[in-house]
Amino acid sequence: MTTLHDHIQMLRAELTSFYLSRRERKQIERELKEALARRDAEPPA
C-alpha cells in the first residue's frame, strides 16, 4: 500500500520526466497540489 508521502514523492519524480505532454504535466501538478493539501490537513504525528 502506498502512503501519502510515497505518492507525493512519485508525483514529484514524474514531473522530472522530459517526455510529458502539457496535459500530462498539468494533471500531475494538480494531483501533487491535492496530495500536498491532504498532507498539510493531517494532524502532525
Side-chain angles (χ1 to χ4, degrees):
M1 183 172 169
T2 305
T3 66
L4 183 56
H5 175 75
D6 293 337
H7 185 65
I8 290 169
Q9 295 304 320
M10 287 188 296
L11 291 170
R12 286 180 173 158
E14 284 183 43
L15 284 174
T16 64
S17 174
F18 294 104
Y19 303 106
L20 293 174
S21 68
R22 286 183 179 173
R23 182 178 294 162
E24 289 170 324
R25 184 168 297 279
K26 287 286 186 184
Q27 177 64 33
I28 293 169
E29 288 172 345
R30 189 173 345 167
E31 284 184 45
L32 179 57
K33 184 177 178 181
E34 291 170 1
L36 290 171
R38 283 194 315 265
R39 181 199 64 187
D40 293 343
E42 290 180 354

